[in-house]
Amino acid sequence: MFTKDFPLPTEEELTVQEINVSTPSLRAAAFHLGKTCEEQNNEYMLCRKEEKDPRKCLDEGKAVTACSLNFFRKIKKSCLEEFSQYANCLDKSSRDMEYKYCRNTQAIYDKCVLDNLGLERPDFGYFCEPKIVDSKRPKPIEEPLSFPDAPEPLPELPVGGEARYGSRKFWFQ
Amino acid sequence: MAATPTQDLPPKGGYAPVNFTRIPARSYFNGYQLFAGFGVVSAVACYMYYKTYSLVRREDIEMRSGRLAVEPLLLAERDREFLKQIRRNRDEEARLMANVEGWEVGTYHGERIYKTIPSERFIDPVINEYFAHGPSKAYTDNAFFSLFS
């Protein structure tokens, strides 16, 4: 269905500076990153869910990447040592990079981020909660499915009115 | 005169007396005490299990929070690469079917694939179509990911 006339974005539109950071670093920065870039993230996910079209959400996606890049730049300027220690600990402590084995390094890193960037680490279940997003983009209208061949729906009550002596069925009338 | 044959006779004085009285095993607890002990151990274990399970669930939620916080970033990157790849696929198909008569890129010999929807709507390509032009290893590696996640 991707014909010649189908509008696909060009390579230039899609090429943007990407995050060049590995999984342990992402895992280490996850909570603070999510809190900093919360609006952009929420907007992007809402757009993606509603429009169901990746071409329409390119701007929001670029905003997400830009916000995350800014966050990592700030971390690199101020807290690089603690951050890399924490990421290293997460990487080498367990198979799944679980947080529970690295509480000491996490405390040091949290304190550093609180002092330098003023960010508090959100609650442990913060990103599992559903978020209500109020965005300026209007909601796309979905056309309801129309079935021109469908038969008329049955009436609620029987045609002759309620039965006078109840129904023959004993308890499930 | 024949020698007396040897016989297997009881010893002199007869056998020692046989003790045939019952000696039941020494019981430390009776039945009620055993049930009570089972109840107490179960209660303590239940409490410890509840505490540990709460902790395990909290850790699970924390892990999931960490993953969900990073998800939009990864999805944005993936969407961009996805759109780039679709463009590459389309160009490759145009190159491949350049000499076939009646073939238009994105259609089946000129016939639209999705007939009842407007043509601007974006439908995810089928996995076979997405990986058609590359090595089959890419398809086998990604089929599980595409179909079951």
Side-chain angles (χ1 to χ4, degrees), chain A residues 84-163:
Chain A
S84 36
Q85 286 270 23
Y86 185 38
N88 189 33
C89 171
L90 280 178
D91 194 11
K92 298 196 171 144
S93 62
S94 65
R95 168 190 168 266
D96 266 340
M97 289 183 259
E98 298 181 44
Y99 290 110
K100 65 180 178 183
Y101 296 115
C102 285
R103 295 291 182 202
N104 291 338
T105 25
Q106 182 190 321
I108 302 172
Y109 167 68
D110 279 352
K111 184 166 177 308
C112 173
V113 170
L114 188 59
D115 290 338
N116 293 23
L117 302 174
L119 289 169
E120 253 191 48
R121 191 186 168 99
D123 198 23
F124 68 90
Y126 184 73
F127 299 105
C128 290
E129 295 160 8
K131 309 282 181 212
I132 301 178
V133 186
D134 189 17
S135 105
K136 298 199 176 45
R137 183 180 52 84
K139 186 171 174 164
I141 308 164
E142 266 185 45
E143 283 175 26
L145 295 170
S146 65
F147 301 104
D149 295 351
E152 285 176 18
L154 292 175
E156 289 271 335
L157 287 176
V159 175
E162 295 269 351

Side-chain angles (χ1 to χ4, degrees), chain A residues 37-97:
Chain A
C37 296
E38 194 178 354
E39 289 147 23
Q40 289 91 333
N41 284 1
N42 285 352
E43 284 273 352
Y44 176 66
M45 293 308 279
L46 182 73
C47 173
R48 203 168 188 272
K49 183 133 179 121
E50 280 186 346
E51 306 269 6
K52 298 186 181 60
D53 188 349
R55 302 171 293 165
K56 299 208 171 77
C57 300
L58 280 179
D59 291 332
E60 282 92 343
K62 286 181 193 168
V64 165
T65 317
C67 174
S68 313
L69 268 175
N70 281 338
F71 176 76
F72 277 113
R73 280 182 196 128
K74 277 192 265 181
I75 291 266
K76 191 167 173 180
K77 250 184 260 173
S78 53
C79 266
L80 182 60
E81 184 60 41
E82 286 87 353
F83 175 73
S84 36
Q85 286 270 23
Y86 185 38
N88 189 33
C89 171
L90 280 178
D91 194 11
K92 298 196 171 144
S93 62
S94 65
R95 168 190 168 266
D96 266 340
M97 289 183 259

Side-chain angles (χ1 to χ4, degrees), chain B residues 47-60:
Chain B
Y47 176 71
M48 289 168 65
Y49 182 83
Y50 164 71
K51 277 277 152 59
T52 313
Y53 183 64
S54 298
L55 182 65
V56 164
R57 231 182 35 206
R58 254 180 280 147
E59 279 157 13
D60 269 348

